[in-house]
Amino acid sequence: MHPRHLWKRLAGAVVRRGIGATIGALALIASFVLAGTATGTSSAAAQPANLSSGGQWACSGAAIPDGYVNTAYNKDGCSGWGSWWQQPDADGLYSCGGSPIYSGYVLTDYLSYGCNGMGAWQHSLAKDGIWTCGGSPIVPGYVVTGYVVPGCHGVGSWYHQVAKVGLLVCSNSPIPAGYFAGARWGFGCSGFGGYYLGHY
């Protein structure tokens, strides 16, 4: 029953039966509200298709468990407060914008219509020679060696490689411990300029 109807019952009870009925009605409302809070995940379950098992619905504002990301949004969940489908992060998984990015993962695609229009990013495990979206983390030991303006559905893409001597890295690339930026080439990295990687 909707809380609005419960409040009407409460008002009617006060008029018809007095304080005893009012206390009973208050207890009923409290149990409804608390149950709605606790089971907000199940009331969210106008569950969009293709959701992985092993996940859970959580109301907006709830903490994301360690190792999990939000992968879907239901604006009608949790009695209209909105709810998020949380599931363990995995290689190739699309997560809603604002989800955590865990160590070893990079962002490799962007869908503006993903996550019910909130936008979604693909999480992929880093590997030598992977293209990542602008703003993606750069995993330790990797360098950025190329850039494509229209990549990642217009966000821009950066090419990640495991650091090694002689690579031409972009001027904004991190330089891993034990390496140094050597001779500069102004036309490197699609015109951003770059440095040849040396090793101490």
Side-chain angles (χ1 to χ4, degrees):
M1 184 180 291
H2 195 278
R4 192 180 309 125
H5 300 302
L6 291 172
W7 284 116
K8 285 182 181 176
R9 278 194 178 183
L10 172 61
V14 171
V15 172
R16 289 190 307 275
R17 298 182 207 146
I19 194 71
T22 303
I23 291 170
L26 280 172
L28 175 64
I29 289 170
S31 67
F32 177 83
V33 170
L34 291 174
T37 303
T39 61
T41 55
S42 61
S43 70
Q47 180 167 317
N50 302 323
L51 293 182
S52 160
S53 58
Q56 62 194 15
W57 281 107
C59 295
S60 291
I64 301 173
D66 190 41
Y68 281 63
V69 290
N70 293 332
T71 57
Y73 177 68
N74 181 359
K75 64 181 177 58
D76 299 317
C78 293
S79 302
W81 288 99
S83 57
W84 300 88
W85 182 252
Q86 299 176 336
Q87 65 185 94
D89 205 2
D91 190 27
L93 188 69
Y94 281 86
S95 76
C96 302
S99 285
I101 305 169
Y102 295 103
S103 177
Y105 283 91
V106 290
L107 304 178
T108 54
D109 192 23
Y110 175 68
L111 301 176
S112 60
Y113 56 83
C115 204
N116 237 358
M118 309 284 283
W121 298 88
Q122 186 177 36
H123 290 208
S124 301
L125 289 169
K127 61 184 178 184
D128 195 21
I130 195 168
W131 284 97
T132 70
C133 300
S136 172
I138 300 172
V139 173
Y142 282 75
V143 290
V144 177
T145 60
Y147 177 68
V148 177
V149 176
C152 205
H153 288 98
V155 176
S157 289
W158 298 89
Y159 194 61
H160 288 211
Q161 291 184 266
V162 174
K164 60 184 177 187
V165 174
L167 276 181
L168 179 63
V169 302
C170 299
S171 55
N172 65 333
S173 175
I175 305 298
Y179 290 88
F180 64 88
R184 176 172 164 75
W185 187 44
F187 296 102
C189 197
S190 301
F192 275 88
Y195 299 90
Y196 288 96
L197 204 59
H199 195 277
Y200 291 111

